[in-house]
Amino acid sequence: MRKITLLSAVMLITACLWSSFTDASRQRRFGYLNTGPPISLGLLYFVPISLAVPSISHMFGRSLSLQELIDEDDEMAEALYWDPAYEVTLRKLSVYFAHLELFSMGCQERLICELAAEPETFSPIPEIFLKELRPLHGPVTRSPDSLMWRYMVAMREGFTAPIEACGRSYPKCPLPAKKILNMPVLKVWQFLASKFNVRLM
């Protein structure tokens, strides 16, 4: 009985080895590839913010200044208090707003509010502006005279209210984000980001 069992085991092992050998030779002969799950390869393209922001500036052109449409009594951002801990952040935001030719406080606040209210609509612009408004460098001076605080309040307003409320909260700015930003160009950026993994840096 033991001899028969041992013989059966040897025959079974021989059959398995022969099957593996013939499968391997068949794969070599016909050029079969790995039958495991497919591997996806992708590339991530980084685009400088300094290129992206000017490209989506408003469509009014140089002949009609955006400032001519804004309430003359509106404050200028430079006149407010800049928290020393957030000076680098505020300088970055100042450059972004300068690219958009947006210098009045009311329009800057309304833009931030609307970007926070509908980030998907204006992507990737909210990622550029709103990431700078995180209080990572300590407490912010809670005052209407503090530029950083005003920006943060505008962002919170957008997070908690519909986009239409931003126009009511900042009535000195007559232009919504869709008029400040060049929406057709923004759609192109969104297409590139979805198809080619384009990211801003």
Side-chain angles (χ1 to χ4, degrees):
M1 183 71 175
R2 184 176 298 171
K3 288 182 179 179
I4 295 173
T5 306
L6 183 60
L7 181 61
S8 299
V10 170
M11 290 175 65
L12 180 63
I13 292 170
T14 304
C16 289
L17 290 173
W18 177 254
S19 175
S20 298
F21 174 76
T22 55
D23 285 347
S25 64
R26 190 182 300 117
Q27 286 180 359
R28 283 196 299 271
R29 192 177 350 158
F30 295 106
Y32 289 129
L33 297 175
N34 182 15
T35 58
I39 298 173
S40 297
L41 296 176
L43 295 174
L44 192 60
Y45 300 95
F46 289 97
V47 176
I49 291 175
S50 58
L51 174 65
V53 175
S55 72
I56 51 87
S57 62
H58 64 81
M59 296 183 291
F60 294 100
R62 304 297 176 188
S63 59
L64 178 59
S65 172
L66 187 62
Q67 297 305 312
E68 294 175 13
L69 305 172
I70 294 171
D71 192 326
E72 293 180 357
D73 296 330
D74 197 2
E75 302 169 275
M76 295 294 111
E78 299 85 18
L80 296 177
Y81 172 72
W82 290 38
D83 283 84
Y86 291 92
E87 188 169 348
V88 173
T89 296
L90 293 171
R91 290 200 184 285
K92 284 184 185 178
L93 290 169
S94 177
V95 170
Y96 301 157
F97 284 124
H99 281 308
L100 298 175
E101 299 182 21
L102 205 61
F103 303 102
S104 79
M105 199 58 213
C107 279
Q108 290 183 5
E109 288 172 304
R110 181 172 180 177
L111 179 64
I112 288 173
C113 179
E114 294 191 5
L115 294 179
E118 292 189 3
E120 297 85 9
T121 302
F122 303 106
S123 177
I125 302 306
E127 300 161 21
I128 297 173
F129 283 86
L130 303 184
K131 74 176 182 180
E132 301 293 345
L133 298 178
R134 293 171 293 181
L136 301 177
H137 307 292
V140 177
T141 303
R142 295 170 172 250
S143 166
D145 296 325
S146 169
L147 182 59
M148 187 67 179
W149 178 248
R150 292 273 291 268
Y151 287 156
M152 291 174 69
V153 169
M155 180 176 65
R156 190 184 315 134
E157 173 82 13
F159 283 147
T160 58
I163 194 169
E164 295 78 16
C166 296
R168 295 190 292 271
S169 298
Y170 303 102
K172 289 186 177 181
C173 182
L175 298 172
K178 287 184 178 179
K179 291 286 184 68
I180 292 172
L181 303 175
N182 189 330
M183 294 305 292
V185 173
L186 192 56
K187 295 294 183 187
V188 172
W189 278 111
Q190 291 170 353
F191 173 79
L192 292 174
S194 65
K195 297 296 182 183
F196 302 105
N197 289 329
V198 175
R199 297 291 182 270
L200 301 179
M201 60 175 291

